[in-house]
Amino acid sequence: MIRIKNLNINLKEFNLFDINLDIGTNEFFVLMGPTGAGKTVLLEAMAGLIPTKSGSIHIGEKNVTGLAPEKRGVSIVYQDYSLFPHLTARENMRYGLHFHRIDKDRSDETFDRLVENLNLSYILNRFPLNLSGGELQRVAMARALMVDPEILLLDEPLSALDPGFREEIRAGLKKLHRDSNVTFLMVTHDFAEALSLSDRAAIMNNGKIIQTGTMEGIFKRPDSTFVADFVGMKNLFAAQFRETKAFTGNLEIELSVKPVNGKGYIAIRPEDIVLSREELTSSMRNSFAGNITEISDHGLYYEAGIMVENITFKSLVTKGALLDLRLAEGTRIFVSFKATAIHTF
Amino acid sequence: MTKKEPFFWITVSCGIVIMAFILLPLIEMMTAPSFAMLKETIKDKDVVRSIWLSIYTAGLAALISFVFGTPLAYVLARSDFRGKKLIESIIDLPIVIPHPVVGIAILSVAGKNHWLGELFNQVGIRIMGSVTGIVVVLTFVGMPFYINAVKGGFESISPRLEKVSRSLGASMFSTFFRITFPLAWRSMLVGIVMCSARAISEFGAVVIVAYHPMIAPVMIYERFEAFGLKYSQPVAVWLVFICLTLFLILRILTLHDRGKTA
């Protein structure tokens, strides 16, 4: 369990402001945010590798705020894996054992288990220079877990790997977490990765935590324009609310519930916006006519921009739909979305 | 084959001129003395003594630089603080100060009319005209080369390696000796070679602090003054030959390296 209270960090290049975070035992927690948000700084602060200005960090029941990194029971795996280049994979893995009083039988057992689970037996005698990205990553994970840490900090562990490879490693990571009683805290800026691995997350920006909650909650109910934008809610409009209606530009949009405040924002995920040649009347409570202003190719899908009055909606369409609907720039089309797909804040 | 541009030929010709400029005098000097003369010179006890003195005082200077310079180089490589640039400039001072001035500067604190000199005198340390004095001078001029080389070596080691080591339970001391030192070892050796090479070549400062006991460069100068070029060449050849051999051995000893080092 990690409990961070009112943590402030004041470094030359990075600052953290009033960080509060609670992470449960054996949780898989994700820290997200753009580059330079302070995610790595927060990880290093938990590991005791950088000085804090004020606030406290508890691990379990123990206050570790001023404690040396070697006394915290927090292992860290960096993005570049940082294996010791002058030691073999085996020596890297067993490095931490020099400093821990772990019973030899038990450490051997842990070693064998990790070697088997992470499929490392064939590379044990190699130096890091002769290992691939995936192998480096697995050795780094094993090295971190060899010392029985309470907490494992992962700094974008998958970002340096080939995309085709990531899926497999991600599954391995999930299994590793399930099989241990270690608390995992991972930094990533890949949303899909976060969704598939963790239950809860925090979003950081400019040295602050902006939102904390379940993955589902953050994904569907962002509470700021930054988070909405970050999680890919591309349709984000300032709006006035009256009863269960939202007014933005000249559009009147039906909501499913009455918002708490009189004005704010409405956000709709681009995949929740349906395009059609005819106006849809059935379950779609909102349907507007507009013109396609742009279509961009994103590989597996296309993103269409549709101008309705003065507002541009973004919608994701598959290649099939693009051909079926004969979509092109300038096509007149209807955009429709359910009242329940609209998030207000 | 494409035609080479004039620029290419300018770079080549300048390169050839520089190579000739460096090699011609050296080769000429090395080949001038006959074998008989070289053989006779190395039998001369004074020559052997002065070359040996040169080598071991330079070695001591490198050793002192290693012991005191390594921690400073580490701090300069790892931390950023106010006045760091100033400290780095101070370390480089011995490189830019004219050599006789170095000798005079050292004598001015080691003399009897300075409290430090007085203190040395009382505990029986003599700087003027002693091996101690030679070592002090050589350390003064050699230390910057050691510190700069090792600082570069430390800088090339990712601080993350040390951070990971700490998080795995190692104290700062263990981390230094198990991770940083093995990875920086090669740059330390380069620093030792640079430092002692610089120390062996020192003449101007040594001649002021200690004409006797005579190190090799002073002896070469003295023979040149007293007997002429022909008699100073063999000593010079032996000095260069022995130094190159020593550095070569050091290099070979460190070629065997495990894994990847920076």
Side-chain angles (χ1 to χ4, degrees):
Chain A
M1 186 201 78
I2 311 168
R3 172 167 294 151
I4 300 177
K5 264 197 190 141
N6 307 324
L7 184 73
N8 283 283
I9 285 178
N10 212 330
L11 293 173
K12 239 187 207 162
E13 288 142 49
F14 287 109
N15 294 295
L16 295 186
F17 307 99
D18 204 28
I19 302 290
N20 285 287
L21 205 55
D22 273 288
I23 300 168
T25 306
N26 199 19
E27 197 176 336
F28 200 129
F29 193 90
V30 163
L31 209 53
M32 279 181 291
T35 311
K39 295 163 293 177
T40 304
V41 177
L42 183 52
L43 285 198
E44 292 195 335
M46 287 184 211
L49 297 166
I50 51 171
T52 59
K53 191 172 155 229
S54 62
S56 67
I57 303 171
H58 282 77
I59 293 173
E61 293 305 308
K62 202 163 72 174
N63 183 349
V64 300
T65 316
L67 212 59
E70 60 265 30
K71 296 187 177 125
R72 294 197 180 198
V74 176
S75 287
I76 187 162
V77 174
Y78 281 107
Q79 192 174 3
D80 60 5
Y81 314 127
S82 293
L83 291 188
F84 306 130
H86 59 306
L87 302 177
T88 62
R90 181 200 310 274
E91 288 163 341
N92 262 285
M93 278 181 71
R94 303 188 70 98
Y95 180 81
L97 297 176
H98 295 296
F99 317 105
H100 286 79
R101 281 203 202 97
I102 298 175
D103 179 57
K104 175 113 179 44
D105 293 339
R106 227 187 92 214
S107 67
D108 285 346
E109 193 192 313
T110 314
F111 182 82
D112 293 340
R113 182 169 49 82
L114 285 170
V115 166
E116 179 166 343
N117 285 352
L118 291 163
N119 188 23
L120 293 171
S121 54
Y122 67 105
I123 54 166
L124 284 177
N125 294 320
R126 291 203 211 151
F127 286 101
L129 186 64
N130 305 318
L131 298 178
S132 72
E135 288 163 349
L136 291 171
Q137 198 261 1
R138 274 140 58 208
V139 175
M141 292 288 300
R143 177 178 68 178
L145 290 169
M146 269 307 287
V147 294
D148 277 340
E150 269 188 71
I151 295 157
L152 180 61
L153 305 175
L154 303 159
D155 189 3
E156 305 203 21
L158 308 183
S159 65
L161 302 175
D162 284 342
F165 213 51
R166 252 179 251 170
E167 198 96 8
E168 191 187 324
I169 299 264
R170 201 196 287 167
L173 204 57
K174 199 163 189 168
K175 184 174 180 320
L176 214 55
H177 174 248
R178 221 180 15 238
D179 295 347
S180 73
N181 44 22
V182 181
T183 307
F184 279 43
L185 173 56
M186 182 173 86
V187 161
T188 180
H189 52 231
D190 183 340
F191 215 88
E193 199 173 292
L195 270 175
S196 72
L197 284 171
S198 86
D199 324 314
R200 290 203 315 137
I203 312 268
M204 285 186 81
N205 190 33
N206 287 331
K208 292 184 193 123
I209 288 185
I210 315 254
Q211 187 171 357
T212 312
T214 59
M215 284 308 304
E216 172 109 4
I218 290 172
F219 198 59
K220 290 202 174 142
R221 294 180 296 281
D223 61 11
S224 62
T225 53
F226 174 80
V227 177
D229 190 48
F230 187 76
V231 301
M233 285 217 175
K234 298 208 166 166
N235 301 290
L236 184 66
F237 313 111
Q240 305 274 347
F241 302 131
R242 225 166 15 230
E243 296 303 314
T244 59
K245 286 187 191 322
F247 298 87
T248 176
N250 295 327
L251 298 184
E252 185 184 318
I253 294 167
E254 291 268 351
L255 306 172
S256 58
V257 289
K258 183 175 177 283
V260 189
N261 297 321
K263 65 176 197 180
Y265 292 91
I266 58 171
I268 310 153
R269 302 201 64 82
E271 55 268 35
D272 288 336
I273 292 195
V274 178
L275 299 184
S276 57
R277 282 280 176 174
E278 309 295 325
E279 183 164 9
L280 298 175
T281 45
S282 58
S283 66
M284 298 289 184
R285 305 248 311 261
N286 295 289
S287 193
F288 305 103
N291 288 307
I292 295 183
T293 51
E294 62 166 322
I295 295 176
S296 52
D297 189 346
H298 286 247
L300 297 174
Y301 58 89
Y302 287 82
E303 188 181 286
I306 308 101
M307 178 85 96
V308 178
E309 303 280 337
N310 282 324
I311 290 168
T312 303
F313 286 92
K314 296 278 168 108
S315 170
L316 297 187
V317 277
T318 59
K319 190 160 188 157
L322 192 81
L323 294 174
D324 285 348
L325 290 168
R326 300 183 311 280
L327 300 182
E329 281 179 22
T331 309
R332 190 164 169 76
I333 201 90
F334 285 93
V335 295
S336 312
F337 45 93
K338 291 180 183 172
T340 50
I342 304 166
H343 170 62
T344 62
F345 60 97
Chain B
M1 204 178 122
T2 54
K3 195 170 164 287
K4 297 272 194 248
E5 286 185 52
F7 182 78
F8 172 79
W9 294 113
I10 294 175
T11 58
V12 168
S13 34
C14 287
I16 292 171
V17 170
I18 291 174
M19 288 301 109
F21 177 65
I22 294 173
L23 290 176
L24 215 58
L26 286 179
I27 292 171
E28 192 53 38
M29 182 201 69
M30 294 297 277
T31 51
S34 66
F35 266 113
M37 201 141 177
L38 284 174
K39 213 169 150 188
E40 196 186 322
T41 309
I42 203 67
K43 280 184 185 155
D44 183 339
K45 284 223 170 60
D46 287 341
V47 172
V48 174
R49 201 184 301 128
S50 72
I51 289 179
W52 171 235
L53 181 66
S54 263
I55 287 169
Y56 94 76
T57 50
L60 273 177
L63 187 70
I64 294 169
S65 300
F66 169 74
V67 172
F68 289 93
T70 307
L72 179 59
Y74 184 78
V75 170
L76 289 176
R78 276 288 179 268
S79 50
D80 216 0
F81 51 87
R82 257 186 33 189
K84 182 176 159 181
K85 281 270 178 294
L86 180 70
I87 292 187
E88 285 172 338
S89 313
I90 293 173
I91 289 167
D92 286 340
L93 269 184
I95 300 176
V96 295
I97 291 179
H99 301 175
V101 179
V102 170
I104 290 169
I106 286 175
L107 279 189
S108 38
V109 287
K112 281 222 174 93
N113 37 22
H114 191 273
W115 64 268
L116 202 61
E118 187 57 37
L119 187 76
F120 283 158
N121 193 34
Q122 275 171 16
V123 293
I125 297 173
R126 205 159 53 95
I127 303 290
M128 183 91 185
S130 72
V131 173
T132 318
I134 294 171
V135 173
V136 169
V137 170
L138 299 192
T139 308
F140 191 93
V141 297
M143 181 86 85
F145 291 86
Y146 178 80
I147 292 179
N148 288 335
V150 177
K151 192 179 92 185
F154 284 139
E155 276 167 353
S156 70
I157 300 169
S158 165
R160 286 186 171 182
L161 296 179
E162 292 171 355
K163 288 179 173 179
V164 167
S165 165
R166 295 295 299 275
S167 77
L168 288 171
S171 64
M172 195 55 232
F173 260 100
S174 305
T175 298
F176 185 83
F177 286 110
R178 283 178 186 270
I179 303 298
T180 319
F181 190 82
L183 292 176
W185 172 234
R186 198 179 260 255
S187 70
M188 288 180 194
L189 221 78
V190 170
I192 285 172
V193 169
M194 301 265 289
C195 173
S196 41
R198 172 68 188 84
I200 279 188
S201 69
E202 182 54 41
F203 169 75
V206 177
V207 90
I208 285 182
V209 174
Y211 197 93
H212 290 281
M214 210 178 269
I215 57 163
V218 176
M219 166 168 277
I220 293 168
Y221 174 73
E222 196 199 47
R223 298 225 159 166
F224 174 69
E225 280 285 274
F227 310 108
L229 191 60
K230 208 164 177 307
Y231 290 87
S232 62
Q233 275 170 340
V235 188
V237 170
W238 276 113
L239 181 65
V240 171
F241 178 71
I242 291 172
C243 290
L244 285 183
T245 314
L246 282 180
F247 292 143
L248 200 67
I249 292 171
L250 215 54
R251 191 83 190 91
I252 291 166
L253 283 179
T254 56
L255 269 183
H256 302 284
D257 210 4
R258 304 184 71 205
K260 177 202 152 197
T261 46

